[in-house]
Amino acid sequence: MIAGWALKLTAIAVLFFLITPIIAILPLSVNDSEFFTYPMRGFTWRWYSAVANSDKWQIAIKNSFIIGVPATLIATILGTLAAIGLQIADFRGKGFITALLLSPLIVPIVIVAVGLYFFFAPLGLTQTYIGLIFAHAALGAPFVVVTVSASLRSFDRNLSRAGASLGAPPYLVFRRIMLPLVRPGIISGALFAFATSFDEVVIVLLLGAPHQRTIPREMFSGLRDSFNPTIAAVATLLTLLAVILLLVAEWLRQRTARRN
Amino acid sequence: MTSERTQLKRDLRKAGGRRRLTAILLVLPLFLFLLFSFIIPIADMLRRSVVDNELATAWPNTTAMLQAWDHSSPPDEAMFRALGTDLRASAEVRTIATPARRLNYALENGRSLVMNTGRSLRALEGEPQSWRDTLLKEDPSWGDKKTWIALAQASGPLTDFYLLTALDLERDPEGTIVSRPPQQSLYLDVLLRTGTMSLSVTLLCLVLGFPLAYYVANAPEKTGNLLMILVLLPLWTSLLVRSAAWIVLLQDQGLVNAMLMAVGFSDRPVPLIYNRIGVLIAMVHVQLPFMVLPIIATMKAIPTAYMRAAISLGAHPAIAFVRVYLPQTFPGVAAGTLLVFIMSLGYYVTPALVGGANDQMLAYFIAYYTTSSANWGLAAALGVLLLGATAVLYFVYARLTNLGQVKLG
């Protein structure tokens, strides 16, 4: 019994360790002081207006979307097609191909960044949006393959057979039968891919031009040189976004789980 | 009857073949895309760790001569002539910096030797009587066998120089592999640091994560779902935000130090950030969810009957836990442990932000040699070590867990 209580207390302490740092930075973004010290000095929105009025952060936010959205689109489309391909038939070398398609999940980012730095330079792709978009799409695609595969595993093949036997051509079977059922998998994969691009800093550090700084890249510099409360304001906004993405992803997961 | 059967079989086989073709065509776009923006770039980088053509490109005649040399007889006039003309030509077209840099890796003062000689030879008109005398007059070290051995070792086309350097080894003039002198040794320390830090992070994550996983896995469903969200929230929160949070919390005037001083643990601030402690705390925070999630998945699948049976057969609950429950959690523990260790090995951002100069890991040096000091061969060799370690551990991980069952959130 005592052991049970000890375990519970340990678990709650660890949860506290996980969550506190994320919450601790939020009040500092509305604290009326240049310095990161508690206790609070008074309430202010000025750090948020500083972010809203700063060219630096405007450019960073724009860049994050200019890179993140196309990268997510590429990753989602190619990842979904590949997941369906891996699902519908067995072919020689499928295990190896699967491992290869998922390898960006596990290869250290610094290796990817250095590899692209060498490889993209002669092609004129370093310091371009295209290069960054391609790199981020490569990192995001495996997430889509995994989530779409998971939602396809529960897909009843007889449904598409029934559609085909009723005379629907393959693209119609896909659009009207398969797509609605795997949509949650596609969307959550896209969320993962977007979150990956939105938080990626090493590739942007090595391959990005100065005018291509993204939000995390700008934060990286800020944390190293001039750590001031505007960073706390940006951090708060990013955390809110994370909460929203997480809740959507969880809702999709539970919807899929209920269906199976 | 039989003809209909064979017809049906043939139709089925045809349909199967068509489906396989469709499958391959669907996988192909992503495969080709990753080939271009992921696989080939990485393979190309690994190639650079053994390719050594900088000297051959700049000094073709010398390289050709060196390939034919036996590494022991004194260099003859023809070899000096090849070197002299190559040196002068590369000084005239301003390509001399590359061979100078490459020779500097293999020879102390190699850069200044090449640059100074090149500068004088640019002023030299026509063909001298003896290239050997001319070069020796510029710098007597051109007569040393050591210099020529270094030239030969650097003349490519393939080299193990970078890979050996990454392990603090070198070849002596006889070509045997020996340890580098301590003042030139650096990388074994970095490899060891990367290994120990990853191991510490992994063990801390296991100690903290196991009780948490048990609590989440055995909570009633409503609580369990909420707890899951709390475990997943850090995972979705930006790495930069979490680094910023730890900097704020662990600084001298931060909350943690305020508490430590309030409870009388210390009367002055304890340095907790920009050092090893800060890196460990921040890395454990980032990696903890990756440890907890696979363990939760395993624990949720463990049937309760075994524990109940053990206790009803008279086992003390603690004994039953250790002998019956724990072994069943092993797949999850192994997966979480391996995953956290693999990911920790390649860490760059967190140590760069919350660590000091002596807390930087392998990834930092790979990036540093790529951008700051342009020693690409060495960057690639360190990359080979990091990727090799990752690949081996990933292979073990893939054998332990069924890859297709990767769970995300």
Side-chain angles (χ1 to χ4, degrees):
Chain A
M1 210 57 253
I2 289 174
W5 272 107
L7 188 110
K8 203 167 179 170
L9 281 178
T10 314
I12 288 168
V14 175
L15 265 181
F16 185 76
F17 164 77
L18 266 180
I19 298 298
T20 312
I22 297 169
I23 295 170
I25 201 163
L26 310 186
L28 294 170
S29 69
V30 290
N31 183 20
D32 197 0
S33 154
E34 285 285 345
F35 305 103
F36 288 110
T37 45
Y38 293 92
M40 307 277 292
R41 298 279 289 284
F43 187 90
T44 179
W45 284 116
R46 69 179 159 128
W47 305 120
Y48 286 92
S49 51
V51 172
N53 295 325
S54 123
D55 287 347
K56 197 174 69 173
W57 287 110
Q58 294 299 318
I59 292 168
I61 292 166
K62 209 160 61 194
N63 279 333
S64 274
F65 282 98
I66 290 176
I67 295 162
V69 172
T72 304
L73 276 174
I74 295 173
T76 308
I77 293 166
L78 297 183
T80 302
L81 293 179
I84 294 169
L86 292 172
Q87 184 69 20
I88 60 173
D90 285 328
F91 47 87
R92 203 170 308 136
K94 188 167 144 178
F96 175 72
I97 293 281
T98 309
L100 214 55
L101 297 186
L102 296 184
S103 62
L105 291 175
I106 212 77
V107 172
I109 296 259
V110 92
I111 303 259
V112 186
V114 170
L116 290 171
Y117 182 88
F118 290 140
F119 183 71
F120 276 180
L123 302 173
L125 283 173
T126 40
Q127 311 217 330
T128 64
Y129 283 111
I130 295 284
L132 292 169
I133 288 166
F134 274 29
H136 282 189
L139 295 183
F143 289 107
V144 182
V145 174
V146 170
T147 54
V148 175
S149 295
S151 60
L152 277 171
R153 248 194 299 279
S154 60
F155 179 74
D156 186 353
R157 280 270 308 283
N158 286 326
L159 292 173
S160 53
R161 287 200 186 102
S165 73
L166 291 168
Y171 79 90
L172 203 65
V173 170
F174 171 75
R175 222 193 57 195
R176 301 284 294 276
I177 300 171
M178 217 176 200
L179 195 61
L181 290 170
V182 300
R183 193 173 289 142
I186 296 176
I187 297 174
S188 55
L191 289 179
F192 277 109
F194 183 73
T196 304
S197 166
F198 213 70
D199 191 30
E200 201 290 313
V201 70
V202 182
I203 286 173
V204 180
L205 265 173
L206 257 72
L207 294 184
H211 68 274
Q212 290 170 325
R213 287 182 160 210
T214 56
I215 300 170
R217 175 70 185 80
E218 206 56 74
M219 282 191 74
F220 188 83
S221 297
L223 290 178
R224 296 188 83 164
D225 323 326
S226 59
F227 194 1
N228 64 48
T230 49
I231 292 193
V234 176
T236 306
L237 295 172
L238 285 178
T239 308
L240 283 176
L241 182 74
V243 171
I244 293 165
L245 289 181
L246 166 65
L247 291 176
V248 175
E250 267 304 278
W251 178 71
L252 287 167
R253 199 179 58 85
Q254 286 180 15
R255 234 182 59 169
T256 321
R258 262 204 306 279
R259 188 180 297 137
N260 301 348
Chain B
M1 191 66 220
T2 46
S3 73
E4 273 180 26
R5 247 238 246 22
T6 49
Q7 181 61 35
L8 182 66
K9 266 194 183 145
R10 204 175 312 140
D11 282 352
L12 279 173
R13 207 171 38 236
K14 207 152 71 185
R18 235 199 339 262
R19 239 203 2 255
R20 193 168 304 137
L21 186 65
T22 314
I24 290 171
L25 285 178
L26 286 169
V27 172
L28 206 56
L30 179 59
F31 178 72
L32 292 177
F33 177 76
L34 286 181
L35 209 57
F36 175 77
S37 43
F38 184 80
I39 296 162
I40 293 175
I42 291 174
D44 180 56
M45 183 200 89
L46 300 180
R47 188 185 55 89
R48 283 171 192 274
S49 64
V50 290
V51 167
D52 193 14
N53 52 14
E54 289 177 322
L55 215 62
T57 314
W59 297 348
N61 304 324
T62 316
T63 311
M65 282 285 177
L66 287 167
Q67 302 294 2
W69 184 47
D70 60 3
H71 290 218
S72 60
S73 51
D76 55 15
E77 175 60 24
M79 286 166 76
F80 276 106
R81 185 176 335 116
L83 177 66
T85 43
D86 274 343
L87 250 169
R88 183 164 63 176
S90 67
E92 277 163 359
V93 297
R94 310 280 164 143
T95 56
I96 195 163
T98 311
R101 179 168 50 84
R102 176 61 187 92
L103 202 60
N104 205 51
Y105 299 150
L107 190 71
E108 247 172 300
N109 310 326
R111 183 193 314 261
S112 49
L113 173 66
V114 172
M115 294 309 276
N116 294 340
T117 310
R119 205 167 305 124
S120 321
L121 289 184
R122 259 218 321 267
L124 184 75
E125 298 291 334
E127 283 288 300
Q129 271 294 259
S130 151
W131 271 106
R132 185 169 183 280
D133 297 347
T134 311
L135 283 169
L136 287 184
K137 203 170 74 212
E138 287 307 333
D139 196 318
S141 15
W142 289 119
D144 293 349
K145 188 173 284 183
K146 201 176 66 177
T147 310
W148 285 90
I149 298 262
L151 275 170
Q153 283 179 351
S155 68
L158 293 178
T159 185
D160 54 12
F161 168 80
Y162 298 113
L163 286 167
L164 290 175
T165 307
L167 296 167
D168 285 342
L169 299 167
E170 62 184 357
R171 284 185 185 276
D172 64 6
E174 280 73 59
T176 356
I177 296 175
V178 293
S179 291
R180 274 182 178 266
Q183 65 273 17
Q184 287 182 1
S185 294
L186 156 72
Y187 305 105
L188 282 181
D189 272 359
V190 174
L191 295 177
L192 197 67
R193 181 189 305 160
T194 306
T196 30
M197 277 167 83
S198 302
L199 200 63
S200 321
V201 168
T202 309
L203 291 176
L204 283 167
C205 281
L206 185 57
V207 170
L208 296 176
F210 193 89
L212 176 60
Y214 185 86
Y215 181 57
V216 174
N218 294 299
E221 195 182 350
K222 269 252 164 12
T223 329
N225 277 339
L226 176 69
L227 291 174
M228 266 313 257
I229 286 190
L230 290 181
V231 170
L232 288 170
L233 178 62
L235 210 58
W236 283 84
T237 309
S238 162
L239 198 61
L240 282 301
V241 171
R242 286 179 283 168
S243 301
W246 283 116
I247 293 172
V248 169
L249 285 172
L250 298 175
Q251 63 182 331
D252 284 1
Q253 306 82 26
L255 220 47
V256 175
N257 263 314
M259 278 190 223
L260 288 179
M261 290 191 277
V263 299
F265 177 84
S266 158
D267 53 353
R268 68 174 70 92
V270 186
L272 296 170
I273 196 84
Y274 304 123
N275 57 22
R276 193 65 55 94
I277 299 172
V279 178
L280 282 179
I281 292 175
M283 277 179 72
V284 167
H285 185 250
V286 173
Q287 291 297 320
L288 198 50
F290 294 106
M291 178 67 83
V292 173
L293 291 171
I295 301 182
I296 291 177
T298 308
M299 283 178 173
K300 274 190 168 164
I302 294 175
T304 51
Y306 297 123
M307 272 295 274
R308 284 207 304 271
I311 291 168
S312 74
L313 288 169
H316 185 278
I319 302 279
F321 183 82
V322 173
R323 299 271 302 272
V324 177
Y325 189 83
L326 269 189
Q328 296 183 84
T329 64
F330 178 76
V333 169
T337 305
L338 272 169
L339 195 61
V340 170
F341 187 74
I342 294 172
M343 293 175 84
S344 303
L345 283 180
Y347 252 66
Y348 175 87
V349 176
T350 309
L353 289 174
V354 302
N358 294 325
D359 307 314
Q360 299 312 317
M361 293 163 70
L362 192 50
Y364 171 86
F365 288 88
I366 294 172
Y368 172 79
Y369 284 116
T370 303
T371 52
S372 315
S373 77
N375 188 344
W376 292 352
L378 192 55
L382 292 169
V384 169
L385 296 180
L386 177 57
L387 194 62
T390 306
V392 169
L393 292 165
Y394 181 54
F395 183 73
V396 177
Y397 172 83
R399 293 303 300 269
L400 276 174
T401 58
N402 184 349
L403 249 191
Q405 309 292 323
V406 179
K407 280 236 178 16
L408 292 168

